[in-house]
Amino acid sequence: MNKVALITGINGQDGSYLAELLLGKGYVVHGMIRRASTPRTGHIDHLLADESLSDRFHLHFGDLADANSLRHIIDKTAPDEVYNLAAQSHVKISFDQPEYTIDVTGTGVVRLLEAIRNHMDHTGKEIRYYQAGSSEMFGSAKPPQSEMTRFEPRSPYACAKVYAHYQVINYRESYGMHASNGILFNHESPRRGEEFVTRKITRAAARIKLGLQKELRLGNLDAKRDWGFAGDYVDAMWRMLQKDAPGDYVVATAISISIRDFLEKVFDRLDLDWSKYVVVDPRFFRPAEVDYLLGDPSKAAAQLDWRSSTNITELATMMTDHDLKLAQAEARSSEPFTGR
Ligand code: NAP
Ligand code: F7E
């Protein structure tokens, strides 16, 4: 029998990589998406178009803000594993929309856990749960940060993730659920949303190279992040749910560099000097900043046999080369029509 997984946020960066991973392992994969006026399935269109997957890949409309939809999807799909990747995931936007962020990213987790608990009570079936926790929860805690480090959150997003983290532990301890928290440090890819800093940089640098853009406006260049490749990180999520016992795991590369250093890697790849194009714009500063994140993934290495396989230079190159191709296509499509 194929295992059945439900992924919330399946059309996001991580959801699309996780869907590929699980389908490759023979799972039946159900994904939850929100209705949008313009379809947002770009990252999973190749899976939807693959006829060989038509009996193993299904989408359902639902929302973490809507408990009924969650109950309905859990009852209908009866999954063995639930990966909760959905969230309002942008830290700066969480300052503009704190209540909404807390409702979706925090309370939404309880709605989903209740739907799972209810299904388990009625059917006797075990459902394993993965929660997409974040290094943002560490906030201003001194690096390196591990599972033993105290959370010092610095944004509504981070506070909502801390709340969700403890609810997962609460469901584990109160109801014996196999519920695990991944504490994932920043992970990026060519599928990263364009409003996150790495992708904003690779998109802009490639467009600058081809004369499609003149400058790049950014906020704080001094913050340091431990950036890995999303394709590596979804494998750690899966490994957590294959363990006999649930747990909490830091997933990181153990290398941290600044935005400034990342800029240099990307612009160097394109033979450009970043300092000629970057403008620091206070509009992109945050009310409170997280200065320095550096993960200690020793527990994941020892207990999950997981390791990051893509270093930051390889990641910057992968994203820059991808975005250069996008910019080349854009340049071609904006060439004046010659009639030939
Ligand atoms: P992402 O690309 O922003 O994807 C988030 C997904 O959540 C999207 O599919 C989005 O759907 C969906 N979503 C948003 N609000 C929803 C709602 N109310 N109900 C249902 N779905 C909703 O994020 P990601 O980078 O893949 O990250 C996945 C998860 O890991 C998130 O929970 C994030 O907070 C967490 N995380 C990410 C990182 C990272 O570095 N990437 C690190 C640590 C933790 P739409 O397309 O409709 O908006
Ligand atoms: O910012 C600085 C910004 O938005 C990184 C999410 O996936 O990872 C992500 O959150 C740093 C910050 O990621 C700009 O101030 C400078 O210090 O790419 P980001 P994030 O805030 O670390 C964590 C682990 C998550 O869980 C989140 O879901 O870059 N920065 N200038 C900028 N950031 C942005 N977005 N835009 C700028 O122009």
Side-chain angles (χ1 to χ4, degrees):
M1 281 283 282
N2 294 343
K3 273 196 191 174
V4 177
L6 170 67
I7 303 173
T8 71
I10 193 159
N11 57 332
Q13 171 189 253
D14 292 6
S16 61
Y17 283 111
L18 181 63
E20 287 170 1
L21 179 85
L22 298 182
L23 288 165
K25 291 181 185 296
Y27 278 62
V28 172
V29 173
H30 295 276
M32 188 176 91
I33 56 165
R34 301 190 286 176
R35 190 260 163 187
S37 55
T38 309
R40 290 194 287 237
T41 51
H43 297 332
I44 51 171
D45 279 344
H46 61 296
L47 302 176
L48 291 167
D50 185 341
E51 284 179 15
S52 72
L53 297 176
S54 61
D55 57 343
R56 287 201 294 123
F57 186 55
H58 312 278
L59 297 184
H60 307 267
F61 286 109
D63 198 304
L64 282 185
D66 176 11
N68 276 324
S69 68
L70 302 177
R71 273 199 296 274
H72 182 66
I73 292 172
I74 294 286
D75 290 344
K76 192 169 149 194
T77 61
D80 300 299
E81 298 171 5
V82 172
Y83 296 85
N84 181 32
L85 309 186
Q88 191 302 92
S89 69
H90 201 281
V91 173
K92 179 150 192 300
I93 290 169
S94 80
F95 287 101
D96 301 328
Q97 293 190 283
E99 191 181 340
Y100 174 76
T101 301
I102 288 157
D103 188 40
V104 170
T105 306
T107 313
V109 174
V110 175
R111 294 189 188 101
L112 186 53
L113 286 166
E114 277 296 286
I116 293 170
R117 185 167 80 88
N118 190 54
H119 184 86
M120 286 171 57
D121 277 355
H122 284 90
T123 63
K125 178 189 167 79
E126 189 198 42
I127 299 178
R128 296 186 173 193
Y129 178 86
Y130 172 82
Q131 169 59 23
S134 166
S135 53
E136 280 295 301
M137 298 188 296
F138 293 123
S140 42
K142 199 167 153 281
Q145 295 100 1
S146 75
E147 296 81 4
M148 306 304 292
T149 305
R150 200 168 74 100
F151 295 139
E152 298 179 28
R154 306 257 298 160
S155 65
Y157 168 81
C159 292
K161 286 287 188 188
V162 170
Y163 170 84
H165 178 92
Y166 286 116
Q167 286 294 359
V168 169
I169 294 173
N170 175 44
Y171 275 69
R172 189 156 82 203
E173 293 178 352
S174 304
Y175 307 117
M177 277 177 63
H178 192 296
S180 293
N181 286 299
I183 308 174
L184 271 54
F185 282 62
N186 298 52
H187 45 281
E188 321 290 310
S189 75
R191 298 182 196 171
R192 185 57 144 150
E194 292 181 20
E195 73 278 19
F196 295 98
V197 78
T198 54
R199 189 79 200 289
K200 185 172 168 182
I201 290 171
T202 57
R203 276 291 274 150
R207 295 186 82 249
I208 287 169
K209 176 77 183 172
L210 297 189
L212 296 165
Q213 183 171 334
K214 289 201 163 23
E215 62 175 27
L216 166 59
R217 303 187 85 84
L218 292 172
N220 176 16
L221 305 185
D222 295 322
K224 294 177 87 176
R225 289 290 182 276
D226 178 332
W227 279 297
F229 171 49
D232 292 340
Y233 284 37
V234 296
D235 176 51
M237 300 174 187
W238 175 76
R239 286 172 188 250
M240 286 176 216
L241 297 207
Q242 310 318 305
K243 295 287 286 181
D244 288 341
D248 305 326
Y249 298 90
V250 160
V251 177
T253 69
I255 306 272
S256 183
I257 68 166
S258 67
I259 315 298
R260 212 179 284 279
D261 294 336
F262 188 80
L263 275 167
E264 198 165 293
K265 286 183 188 297
V266 171
F267 279 73
D268 275 2
R269 176 79 183 160
L270 298 167
D271 293 323
L272 295 172
D273 174 357
W274 68 268
S275 64
K276 291 191 179 143
Y277 304 97
V278 171
V279 177
V280 172
D281 184 338
R283 273 189 306 138
F284 296 104
F285 292 163
R286 296 168 181 192
E289 178 62 281
V290 170
D291 294 319
Y292 190 0
L293 293 175
L294 168 66
D296 171 2
S298 339
K299 183 180 172 188
Q303 296 189 15
L304 303 177
D305 194 23
W306 179 88
R307 275 159 203 85
S308 159
S309 69
T310 313
N311 71 36
I312 183 64
T313 306
E314 291 163 342
L315 180 62
T317 303
M318 179 201 312
M319 293 174 70
T320 307
D321 291 357
H322 173 273
D323 284 341
L324 186 60
K325 287 199 186 103
L326 277 189
Q328 283 161 344
E330 185 186 346
R332 278 194 300 274
S333 70
S334 60
E335 275 168 15
F337 181 60
T338 60
R340 274 177 285 143

